[in-house]
């Protein structure tokens, strides 16, 4: 049996202001950011970075125990179409999964792992101070709590990918974007003008 090839696509660790790691003597972004923000917010953002890092390590440790070949890439490093992989695993949230979708076609399934799910009790606790919402992960099928079960089901062909609609835009039979779109806004400078559109 051929070993499956996986690409593990990660949200960068420095997405939150609290995650700065400057060199010796360099001011950290935490220090610079904390002068302008509530210390609770800085702590919250730093915790989000740590939770994400822990989730990445957890997923990598699970994959090390599986009979798969895998490599890791940060989503910011994507510039070419993703090819020659059997599965893309995104670790982050919906944004990481959607960014991956711009670089793959329908032949490669994607498993989204929400690395930092929203904690309802945390949102309620800080509702008067700031928005403590983390990641919704609407498109993600896994978190660290069920990642191993989900990846086992995929590798054993017990779980099949869902199909999501993708939007592309062509004008006069010319494709304008090679990337998938989430929404399409059609506007005209004169609102009273009648326009005709065909959606297939």
């Amino acid at each position: 049996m051929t070993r499956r090839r996986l690409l593990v696509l990660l949200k960068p660790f420095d997405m939150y202001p609290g995650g700065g790691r400057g060199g010796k003597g360099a001011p950290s972004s935490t220090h610079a950011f904390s002068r302008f923000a509530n210390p609770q917010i800085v702590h919250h953002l730093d915790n989000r970075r740590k939770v994400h890092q822990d989730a990445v390590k957890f997923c990598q440790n699970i994959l090390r125990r599986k009979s798969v070949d895998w490599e890791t890439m940060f989503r910011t490093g994507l510039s070419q179409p993703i090819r020659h992989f059997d599965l893309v695993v995104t670790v982050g949230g919906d944004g990481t999964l959607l960014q991956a979708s711009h670089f793959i076609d329908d032949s490669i399934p994607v498993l989204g792992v929400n690395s930092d799910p929203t904690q309802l009790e945390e949102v309620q606790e800080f509702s008067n101070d700031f928005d403590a919402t983390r990641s919704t992960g609407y498109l993600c099928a896994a978190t660290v709590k069920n990642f191993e079960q989900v990846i086992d089901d995929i590798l054993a062909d017990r779980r099949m990918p869902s199909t999501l609609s993708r939007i592309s835009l062509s004008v006069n039979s010319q494709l304008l974007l090679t990337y998938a779109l989430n929404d399409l806004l059609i506007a005209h400078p004169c609102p009273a003008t009648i326009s005709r559109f065909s959606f297939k």
Side-chain angles (χ1 to χ4, degrees), residues 11 28 32 37 47 49 63 72 78 83 108-109 116 118 123 125 128 132 140 144 154-155 159 167 170 196 199:
K11 176 174 77 172
S28 72
N47 177 261
R49 179 187 52 80
L63 291 175
T72 302
L78 283 175
R83 295 191 177 99
I108 302 175
D116 186 23
T118 293
V123 172
E125 178 184 349
N128 292 330
C140 297
V144 293
I154 290 170
L155 295 175
R159 184 181 290 237
I167 301 172
S170 296
R196 297 181 190 274
F199 296 96

Side-chain angles (χ1 to χ4, degrees), residues 18-32:
R21 290 178 295 281
K24 187 174 181 180
S28 72
S29 61
T30 302
H31 174 71

Side-chain angles (χ1 to χ4, degrees), residues 44-102:
H44 174 75
L45 293 174
D46 197 47
N47 177 261
R48 290 195 65 183
R49 179 187 52 80
K50 183 182 181 314
V51 168
H52 173 62
Q53 282 181 315
D54 291 347
V56 168
K57 289 176 188 173
F58 178 86
C59 292
Q60 289 174 331
N61 287 335
I62 295 292
L63 291 175
R64 284 186 185 100
R65 300 196 309 256
K66 306 300 173 187
S67 296
V68 295
D69 295 321
W70 56 279
E71 59 186 76
T72 302
M73 172 188 282
F74 287 105
R75 73 181 193 192
T76 51
L78 283 175
S79 61
Q80 300 295 320
I82 297 171
R83 295 191 177 99
H84 312 300
F85 288 98
D86 300 303
L87 175 68
V88 173
V89 178
T90 64
V91 184
D94 290 339
T96 306
L97 188 146
L98 288 170
Q99 188 162 3
S101 76
H102 297 315

Side-chain angles (χ1 to χ4, degrees), residues 30 33-46 130:
T30 302
F33 186 69
S34 64
R35 289 185 296 159
F36 305 104
N38 179 328
Q40 286 180 307
I41 296 173
V42 174
H43 176 74
H44 174 75
L45 293 174
D46 197 47
F130 61 92

